[in-house]
Amino acid sequence: MKSYLNKAGVLFTAAGLAVTAGLSHGSSHREAPFITEIPKADGTDFYMFRSYESGRDGFVTLIANYLPLQDAYGGPNYFDLDTDAIYEIHIDNDGDAQEEITYRFQFTDVFNDLQLAVGESGSEELVSVPLKNIGDASVDGNVQVRQQYSVSVIYGNRRGAPQVATNISTGTEAFRKPLDNIGAKSFPDYASYADQHIHDIAIPGCSVPGRVFVGQRKEAFAVNLGEIFDLVNTNPLGPRNGEGAGDLADKNVTSFALEVSTDCLTGSAATASGQSVIGAWTTASLRQARVINPAPNANDKGATIEGGAFAQVSRLGMPLVNEVVIGLKDKDAFNASNPGDDGQFLTYVTHPTLPELLEILFSGAGAEAPNTFPRNDLVTAFLTGVPDLNQPQGVTASEMLRLNPEIPATPAGTQSDLGVLGGDNAGFPNGRRPIDDVVDIALRVVMGALTTDAPNKDVPFTDGVQLDPTELRSSFPYLSTPIPGSPNDQPI
């Protein structure tokens, strides 16, 4: 255990840089200048862990969150996804910094023009209504627009042809996405309604069926944004839950949850002891051309016309990277890049700027950051995985979330939210679970918690926000029912 902790500490340090003066909102929310303009393509958090739902220990769960900072009351359109985008989860299972498997999600709208008869009897006119639904929103006939999606798998570094997955229940290639949680009057039982959108999925090339869910969930990332961005205007030595519920406690997010048999993910990448390792990251891509329609109407393609090849605009692997590890001038470039090209960002890792800033900001607490340059130890852990934990032999240095799925899952009730730092090898940085408090882990380690000689190595730094584990599900898709837009419990 001790060897894991000492080596993992460097990776925690890299993540910890992000909590000091980030330009984003949360783990990777609005972190680059261009992504602020296209929130539907904004990847916010990525989780990858061995499934800990009872009876599912042969599976890995991948959760990619998009479209951040959703206020539950954000109607009448709420938070549909971009039908002109592709959303992808990439798997590197041989350690070469290239994807061997890509899961692609694409969305379509299903329209139902709801009209009401308005006017005097005998001369009524049918008029389209302005709201998304006009009754119980779990009934299709009461809903104006909903979304469905397809899932494709691509083998071989995007060179292969996409193979479309099948919805086992319907035998079709379409999967339904639940509407966002409009409120208690539109959804008498939203939790049950959403669970009906957990689908069994037959993935080409994988003989074991998996599960998929795409829909709104309650945000699980615990952080006080205002205080952090105000030069860490909080008590770094206070209790872990001393700053309230956190600024994201009243926000929702859209989750892409995919559970896949471990055998369908692993490849030749393995640790020195022979245990399998998979690396993963998420992206979103948009068409290169967008023409704004000056006169949109219901009979054409709407407000814009999209065309051209797809261009990647969002990338996310490890939490808290693009915000402040990558310099401002290169943030958009990082979002457009692939792990195999990460050599261009190496200086940001070997000579990180933000540990010095953290030392200044915490000077009142006597903080003194370790200073060792170049940070070759950070490169080893941050870009290659942790030796004897989740580092493949012969790995190509590149930034992504890495998981050793042969390490047994820790049951939900006994997980440590400090992950490996808390003695729980099934947690961050061996993948990432919803419970893992990457902010507190980062703060402690960036100040030297896993070194032998740092002045503050034993100080339990914290941002004062800690997720209540009871807010999470212990079953797929693990993140909780989203906050309703209207909490009033009224009959239809």
Side-chain angles (χ1 to χ4, degrees):
M1 173 61 64
K2 183 173 173 53
S3 64
Y4 289 177
L5 299 183
N6 288 340
K7 294 171 182 174
V10 188
L11 182 140
F12 292 147
T13 300
L17 310 183
V19 300
T20 55
L23 300 175
S24 68
H25 289 165
S27 180
S28 186
H29 305 53
R30 294 172 53 83
E31 83 288 349
F34 182 54
I35 204 67
T36 64
E37 303 176 25
I38 44 175
K40 290 186 177 184
D42 188 357
T44 65
D45 284 283
F46 180 45
Y47 305 94
M48 177 172 62
F49 52 92
R50 183 166 169 173
S51 298
Y52 48 87
E53 178 181 345
S54 177
R56 305 295 292 186
D57 58 350
F59 292 83
V60 169
T61 295
L62 311 157
I63 304 175
N65 285 351
Y66 290 89
L67 218 172
L69 303 173
Q70 297 179 15
D71 290 316
Y73 50 80
N77 296 296
Y78 297 95
F79 302 97
D80 288 344
L81 293 162
D82 193 337
T83 58
D84 291 307
I86 56 175
Y87 303 86
E88 295 179 319
I89 300 174
H90 309 273
I91 307 294
D92 170 19
N93 61 18
D94 65 6
D96 66 350
Q98 304 289 335
E99 63 270 53
E100 280 69 55
I101 307 172
T102 296
Y103 299 103
R104 175 177 293 178
F105 297 77
Q106 292 180 276
F107 292 81
T108 56
D109 293 329
V110 179
F111 289 100
N112 177 26
D113 184 19
L114 297 181
Q115 299 180 333
L116 295 177
V118 181
E120 296 182 0
S121 178
S123 60
E124 300 97 337
E125 293 191 32
L126 292 176
V127 182
S128 298
V129 302
L131 303 180
K132 200 153 195 171
N133 62 296
I134 59 172
D136 183 344
S138 64
V139 177
D140 283 352
N142 294 332
V143 176
Q144 287 221 80
V145 60
R146 60 179 178 85
Q147 290 194 306
Q148 62 186 31
Y149 59 96
S150 64
V151 183
S152 302
V153 61
I154 304 169
Y155 294 103
N157 192 21
R158 304 196 200 190
R159 289 187 293 270
Q163 303 176 55
V164 184
T166 303
N167 185 327
I168 292 176
S169 297
T170 64
T172 70
E173 297 175 349
F175 299 85
R176 292 174 62 109
K177 174 183 175 292
L179 271 69
D180 296 337
N181 195 355
I182 298 169
K185 191 172 183 180
S186 294
F187 289 105
D189 185 356
Y190 186 87
S192 296
Y193 161 78
D195 280 351
Q196 295 172 12
H197 295 78
I198 298 175
H199 306 286
D200 292 328
I201 181 172
I203 302 172
C206 182
S207 61
V208 181
R211 290 187 292 183
V212 65
F213 171 87
V214 177
Q216 192 180 52
R217 296 282 91 186
K218 186 180 185 301
E219 178 66 80
F221 187 76
V223 65
N224 261 340
L225 300 176
E227 287 80 357
I228 292 295
F229 298 151
D230 185 24
L231 303 180
V232 196
N233 187 12
T234 184
N235 179 9
L237 303 179
R240 292 191 63 198
N241 59 356
E243 297 291 334
D247 292 337
L248 299 184
D250 62 349
K251 304 297 183 183
N252 293 325
V253 71
T254 299
S255 296
F256 295 56
L258 181 65
E259 188 181 53
V260 183
S261 171
T262 304
D263 292 339
C264 297
L265 294 172
T266 54
S268 61
T271 65
S273 62
Q275 292 185 311
S276 298
V277 175
I278 55 176
W281 68 99
T282 71
T283 62
S285 301
L286 299 174
R287 295 288 189 182
Q288 290 182 353
R290 171 176 290 180
V291 178
I292 297 176
N293 187 347
N297 60 71
N299 297 320
D300 57 28
K301 290 185 67 66
T304 66
I305 298 174
E306 317 284 335
F310 281 101
Q312 181 180 306
V313 296
S314 178
R315 169 187 168 189
L316 179 64
M318 294 289 295
L320 308 167
V321 172
N322 200 16
E323 292 82 351
V324 292
V325 176
I326 305 299
L328 177 61
K329 68 183 182 67
D330 285 328
K331 291 181 183 294
D332 287 333
F334 180 85
N335 268 344
S337 69
N338 295 312
D341 300 322
D342 280 347
Q344 63 185 309
F345 306 116
L346 183 61
T347 299
Y348 292 122
V349 179
T350 60
H351 292 73
T353 59
L354 290 174
E356 312 305 316
L357 177 59
L358 187 58
E359 178 177 321
I360 295 171
L361 296 175
F362 282 176
S363 60
E368 183 178 342
N371 284 314
T372 303
F373 303 101
R375 295 298 302 269
N376 292 325
D377 54 347
L378 189 152
V379 171
T380 299
F382 182 51
L383 300 180
T384 63
V386 181
D388 301 321
L389 179 65
N390 60 356
Q391 183 187 100
Q393 296 186 84
V395 64
T396 299
S398 53
E399 189 278 313
M400 63 182 72
L401 193 61
R402 290 181 171 87
L403 173 70
N404 178 344
E406 297 190 39
I407 293 177
T410 303
T414 59
Q415 295 171 356
S416 170
D417 63 355
L418 295 177
V420 174
L421 183 62
D424 185 355
N425 285 339
F428 184 78
N430 183 33
R432 181 187 176 192
R433 303 164 303 190
I435 191 63
D436 292 334
D437 191 343
V438 294
V439 175
D440 275 15
I441 294 169
L443 278 172
R444 297 179 186 200
V445 176
V446 75
M447 300 310 294
L450 302 180
T451 67
T452 60
D453 57 357
N456 294 281
K457 68 184 184 66
D458 296 321
V459 178
F461 291 108
T462 179
D463 70 335
V465 179
Q466 186 177 22
L467 181 68
D468 181 354
T470 63
E471 291 189 14
L472 299 172
R473 295 167 54 127
S474 59
S475 61
F476 186 84
Y478 295 99
L479 301 186
S480 295
T481 301
I483 300 168
S486 166
N488 297 327
D489 187 9
Q490 298 182 15
I492 294 297

PDB file of all heavy atoms in Angstrom, residues 301-316:
ATOM      1  N   LYS A 301     -34.383  23.538 -41.750  1.00  0.00           N
ATOM      2  CA  LYS A 301     -33.479  22.949 -40.772  1.00  0.00           C
ATOM      3  C   LYS A 301     -33.334  23.771 -39.500  1.00  0.00           C
ATOM      4  O   LYS A 301     -32.513  23.459 -38.642  1.00  0.00           O
ATOM      5  CB  LYS A 301     -32.103  22.713 -41.406  1.00  0.00           C
ATOM      6  CG  LYS A 301     -32.105  21.593 -42.435  1.00  0.00           C
ATOM      7  CD  LYS A 301     -30.714  21.311 -42.943  1.00  0.00           C
ATOM      8  CE  LYS A 301     -29.808  20.732 -41.883  1.00  0.00           C
ATOM      9  NZ  LYS A 301     -30.240  19.384 -41.455  1.00  0.00           N
ATOM     10  N   GLY A 302     -34.123  24.813 -39.358  1.00  0.00           N
ATOM     11  CA  GLY A 302     -34.138  25.530 -38.108  1.00  0.00           C
ATOM     12  C   GLY A 302     -33.171  26.682 -38.056  1.00  0.00           C
ATOM     13  O   GLY A 302     -32.872  27.323 -39.059  1.00  0.00           O
ATOM     14  N   ALA A 303     -32.644  26.968 -36.857  1.00  0.00           N
ATOM     15  CA  ALA A 303     -31.874  28.182 -36.636  1.00  0.00           C
ATOM     16  C   ALA A 303     -30.497  28.141 -37.287  1.00  0.00           C
ATOM     17  O   ALA A 303     -29.933  29.187 -37.602  1.00  0.00           O
ATOM     18  CB  ALA A 303     -31.731  28.441 -35.142  1.00  0.00           C
ATOM     19  N   THR A 304     -29.936  26.944 -37.468  1.00  0.00           N
ATOM     20  CA  THR A 304     -28.625  26.836 -38.110  1.00  0.00           C
ATOM     21  C   THR A 304     -28.610  25.670 -39.085  1.00  0.00           C
ATOM     22  O   THR A 304     -29.437  24.754 -39.005  1.00  0.00           O
ATOM     23  CB  THR A 304     -27.498  26.623 -37.080  1.00  0.00           C
ATOM     24  OG1 THR A 304     -27.677  25.347 -36.446  1.00  0.00           O
ATOM     25  CG2 THR A 304     -27.477  27.731 -36.042  1.00  0.00           C
ATOM     26  N   ILE A 305     -27.645  25.714 -39.980  1.00  0.00           N
ATOM     27  CA  ILE A 305     -27.377  24.604 -40.884  1.00  0.00           C
ATOM     28  C   ILE A 305     -25.919  24.203 -40.667  1.00  0.00           C
ATOM     29  O   ILE A 305     -25.020  25.042 -40.761  1.00  0.00           O
ATOM     30  CB  ILE A 305     -27.624  25.005 -42.353  1.00  0.00           C
ATOM     31  CG1 ILE A 305     -29.087  25.401 -42.554  1.00  0.00           C
ATOM     32  CG2 ILE A 305     -27.245  23.868 -43.285  1.00  0.00           C
ATOM     33  CD1 ILE A 305     -29.386  25.952 -43.942  1.00  0.00           C
ATOM     34  N   GLU A 306     -25.702  22.937 -40.325  1.00  0.00           N
ATOM     35  CA  GLU A 306     -24.364  22.451 -40.002  1.00  0.00           C
ATOM     36  C   GLU A 306     -23.816  21.630 -41.176  1.00  0.00           C
ATOM     37  O   GLU A 306     -24.553  20.922 -41.849  1.00  0.00           O
ATOM     38  CB  GLU A 306     -24.406  21.565 -38.754  1.00  0.00           C
ATOM     39  CG  GLU A 306     -25.265  22.098 -37.627  1.00  0.00           C
ATOM     40  CD  GLU A 306     -24.628  23.227 -36.860  1.00  0.00           C
ATOM     41  OE1 GLU A 306     -23.379  23.287 -36.861  1.00  0.00           O
ATOM     42  OE2 GLU A 306     -25.345  24.043 -36.265  1.00  0.00           O
ATOM     43  N   GLY A 307     -22.505  21.700 -41.391  1.00  0.00           N
ATOM     44  CA  GLY A 307     -21.904  20.928 -42.474  1.00  0.00           C
ATOM     45  C   GLY A 307     -20.407  20.788 -42.300  1.00  0.00           C
ATOM     46  O   GLY A 307     -19.796  21.378 -41.406  1.00  0.00           O
ATOM     47  N   GLY A 308     -19.805  19.983 -43.160  1.00  0.00           N
ATOM     48  CA  GLY A 308     -18.373  19.763 -43.114  1.00  0.00           C
ATOM     49  C   GLY A 308     -17.988  18.627 -42.198  1.00  0.00           C
ATOM     50  O   GLY A 308     -18.834  17.962 -41.588  1.00  0.00           O
ATOM     51  N   ALA A 309     -16.690  18.404 -42.091  1.00  0.00           N
ATOM     52  CA  ALA A 309     -16.177  17.343 -41.232  1.00  0.00           C
ATOM     53  C   ALA A 309     -16.362  17.706 -39.764  1.00  0.00           C
ATOM     54  O   ALA A 309     -16.546  18.872 -39.405  1.00  0.00           O
ATOM     55  CB  ALA A 309     -14.699  17.112 -41.532  1.00  0.00           C
ATOM     56  N   PHE A 310     -16.313  16.686 -38.894  1.00  0.00           N
ATOM     57  CA  PHE A 310     -16.400  16.928 -37.465  1.00  0.00           C
ATOM     58  C   PHE A 310     -15.048  17.395 -36.931  1.00  0.00           C
ATOM     59  O   PHE A 310     -13.985  16.907 -37.335  1.00  0.00           O
ATOM     60  CB  PHE A 310     -16.827  15.654 -36.727  1.00  0.00           C
ATOM     61  CG  PHE A 310     -18.300  15.385 -36.805  1.00  0.00           C
ATOM     62  CD1 PHE A 310     -18.806  14.437 -37.697  1.00  0.00           C
ATOM     63  CD2 PHE A 310     -19.186  16.072 -35.992  1.00  0.00           C
ATOM     64  CE1 PHE A 310     -20.160  14.183 -37.772  1.00  0.00           C
ATOM     65  CE2 PHE A 310     -20.548  15.828 -36.060  1.00  0.00           C
ATOM     66  CZ  PHE A 310     -21.047  14.881 -36.948  1.00  0.00           C
ATOM     67  N   ALA A 311     -15.080  18.343 -36.006  1.00  0.00           N
ATOM     68  CA  ALA A 311     -13.887  18.850 -35.339  1.00  0.00           C
ATOM     69  C   ALA A 311     -14.080  18.702 -33.828  1.00  0.00           C
ATOM     70  O   ALA A 311     -15.102  19.090 -33.280  1.00  0.00           O
ATOM     71  CB  ALA A 311     -13.635  20.308 -35.692  1.00  0.00           C
ATOM     72  N   GLN A 312     -13.077  18.151 -33.160  1.00  0.00           N
ATOM     73  CA  GLN A 312     -13.151  17.930 -31.716  1.00  0.00           C
ATOM     74  C   GLN A 312     -13.045  19.257 -30.972  1.00  0.00           C
ATOM     75  O   GLN A 312     -12.135  20.046 -31.216  1.00  0.00           O
ATOM     76  CB  GLN A 312     -12.026  16.991 -31.283  1.00  0.00           C
ATOM     77  CG  GLN A 312     -12.016  16.655 -29.806  1.00  0.00           C
ATOM     78  CD  GLN A 312     -10.878  15.726 -29.451  1.00  0.00           C
ATOM     79  OE1 GLN A 312     -10.728  14.657 -30.051  1.00  0.00           O
ATOM     80  NE2 GLN A 312     -10.042  16.131 -28.502  1.00  0.00           N
ATOM     81  N   VAL A 313     -13.966  19.493 -30.036  1.00  0.00           N
ATOM     82  CA  VAL A 313     -13.983  20.755 -29.293  1.00  0.00           C
ATOM     83  C   VAL A 313     -13.900  20.552 -27.787  1.00  0.00           C
ATOM     84  O   VAL A 313     -13.792  21.527 -27.037  1.00  0.00           O
ATOM     85  CB  VAL A 313     -15.252  21.567 -29.628  1.00  0.00           C
ATOM     86  CG1 VAL A 313     -15.256  21.974 -31.095  1.00  0.00           C
ATOM     87  CG2 VAL A 313     -16.513  20.790 -29.273  1.00  0.00           C
ATOM     88  N   SER A 314     -13.967  19.309 -27.323  1.00  0.00           N
ATOM     89  CA  SER A 314     -13.909  19.041 -25.889  1.00  0.00           C
ATOM     90  C   SER A 314     -13.168  17.742 -25.655  1.00  0.00           C
ATOM     91  O   SER A 314     -13.322  16.783 -26.411  1.00  0.00           O
ATOM     92  CB  SER A 314     -15.329  18.948 -25.299  1.00  0.00           C
ATOM     93  OG  SER A 314     -15.296  18.645 -23.917  1.00  0.00           O
ATOM     94  N   ARG A 315     -12.355  17.719 -24.595  1.00  0.00           N
ATOM     95  CA  ARG A 315     -11.610  16.523 -24.227  1.00  0.00           C
ATOM     96  C   ARG A 315     -11.487  16.463 -22.711  1.00  0.00           C
ATOM     97  O   ARG A 315     -11.219  17.482 -22.066  1.00  0.00           O
ATOM     98  CB  ARG A 315     -10.221  16.532 -24.859  1.00  0.00           C
ATOM     99  CG  ARG A 315      -9.281  15.436 -24.313  1.00  0.00           C
ATOM    100  CD  ARG A 315      -7.865  15.612 -24.845  1.00  0.00           C
ATOM    101  NE  ARG A 315      -6.921  14.766 -24.115  1.00  0.00           N
ATOM    102  CZ  ARG A 315      -5.601  14.820 -24.238  1.00  0.00           C
ATOM    103  NH1 ARG A 315      -5.056  15.687 -25.092  1.00  0.00           N
ATOM    104  NH2 ARG A 315      -4.821  14.034 -23.524  1.00  0.00           N
ATOM    105  N   LEU A 316     -11.669  15.274 -22.136  1.00  0.00           N
ATOM    106  CA  LEU A 316     -11.567  15.132 -20.687  1.00  0.00           C
ATOM    107  C   LEU A 316     -11.143  13.725 -20.319  1.00  0.00           C
ATOM    108  O   LEU A 316     -11.730  12.745 -20.786  1.00  0.00           O
ATOM    109  CB  LEU A 316     -12.923  15.444 -20.027  1.00  0.00           C
ATOM    110  CG  LEU A 316     -12.966  15.322 -18.508  1.00  0.00           C
ATOM    111  CD1 LEU A 316     -12.051  16.343 -17.857  1.00  0.00           C
ATOM    112  CD2 LEU A 316     -14.384  15.487 -17.994  1.00  0.00           C
TER     113      LEU A 316
END
